Amino acid sequence: FNDHMEVINMMISKLLENLQVWGHNSMVIKETLHLLGIIIHGTSGEGTLSMLLEIDTIKRLMKNHAAVSSSFLNYPANAKNRTMYYLTITQLFLLEEDDAEASGSFETFLEPTITTLVQLKNTANLRTDEARFAIIGVSRDLRGITCATDTKLFHVLFDM
């Protein structure tokens, strides 16, 4: 490895691979999210944060967070892990730009969640297991998103 950026990129790539491959194992998912959170939350200093956002794997995660998570989010055993995933991803997202509200990218970030809410609104019977799982999932996703949202973007979440 030529530099620390390659090492960090490799670590984050492995963690994202865990989310995709080990979705059936909630303990692996929990520990993976914990380590991903430490890498993202544990950074200190603005130079470190901006450096983290330069990593290609992080850029792909920011653009395709729903695709990365689709594997492990489909398992009911991982329902509790959804909050931690969206808390971590939202905090990463909020680091990306000084004014995420003006660029409209926060709304783009929320599109998968909004799509699920619209589908639930149009569901005739919410008493099915599928609808119940979707309601619990989107609630946990929103909890993670709102816990990570600072005062600058909190109103955007509820003005949509």
Side-chain angles (χ1 to χ4, degrees), residues 19 23 29 33 65-66 68-79 81-83 85-86 133 137 141:
L19 294 178
I29 296 299
L33 291 172
H65 68 91
V68 169
S69 63
S70 64
S71 174
F72 85 89
L73 293 183
N74 290 330
Y75 290 94
N78 290 321
N81 295 322
R82 294 176 77 118
T83 302
Y85 177 71
Y86 275 94
F133 181 68
D141 299 350

Side-chain angles (χ1 to χ4, degrees), residues 117 119-135:
L117 290 169
Q119 289 171 345
L120 286 168
K121 178 183 173 190
N122 297 327
T123 301
N125 184 5
L126 294 175
R127 295 191 183 272
T128 64
D129 286 341
E130 184 179 295
R132 182 178 165 267
F133 181 68
I135 291 168

Side-chain angles (χ1 to χ4, degrees), residues 139-159:
S139 298
R140 290 183 184 271
D141 299 350
L142 287 170
R143 180 178 179 203
I145 291 167
T146 56
C147 286
T149 316
D150 61 5
T151 55
K152 178 174 74 172
L153 289 174
F154 192 78
H155 68 89
V156 175
L157 186 61
F158 293 101
D159 286 342

Side-chain angles (χ1 to χ4, degrees), residues 43-153:
T43 57
S44 60
E46 291 206 19
T48 307
L49 296 176
S50 61
M51 180 180 65
L52 191 60
L53 293 172
E54 294 174 14
I55 297 173
D56 290 334
T57 306
I58 294 290
K59 290 177 184 176
R60 280 193 305 276
L61 173 63
M62 308 271 296
K63 290 180 183 175
N64 301 310
H65 68 91
V68 169
S69 63
S70 64
S71 174
F72 85 89
L73 293 183
N74 290 330
Y75 290 94
N78 290 321
K80 291 184 178 181
N81 295 322
R82 294 176 77 118
T83 302
M84 176 57 100
Y85 177 71
Y86 275 94
L87 172 76
T88 302
I89 299 304
T90 303
Q91 287 180 333
L92 233 184
F93 182 83
L94 294 176
L95 295 174
E96 184 181 27
E97 10 186 288
D98 291 332
D99 194 5
E101 177 185 351
S103 70
S105 55
F106 191 67
E107 287 85 356
T108 303
F109 173 72
L110 290 174
E111 279 179 7
T113 304
I114 293 168
T115 300
T116 302
L117 290 169
V118 170
Q119 289 171 345
L120 286 168
K121 178 183 173 190
N122 297 327
T123 301
N125 184 5
L126 294 175
R127 295 191 183 272
T128 64
D129 286 341
E130 184 179 295
R132 182 178 165 267
F133 181 68
I135 291 168
I136 291 169
V138 78
S139 298
R140 290 183 184 271
D141 299 350
L142 287 170
R143 180 178 179 203
I145 291 167
T146 56
C147 286
T149 316
D150 61 5
T151 55
K152 178 174 74 172
L153 289 174

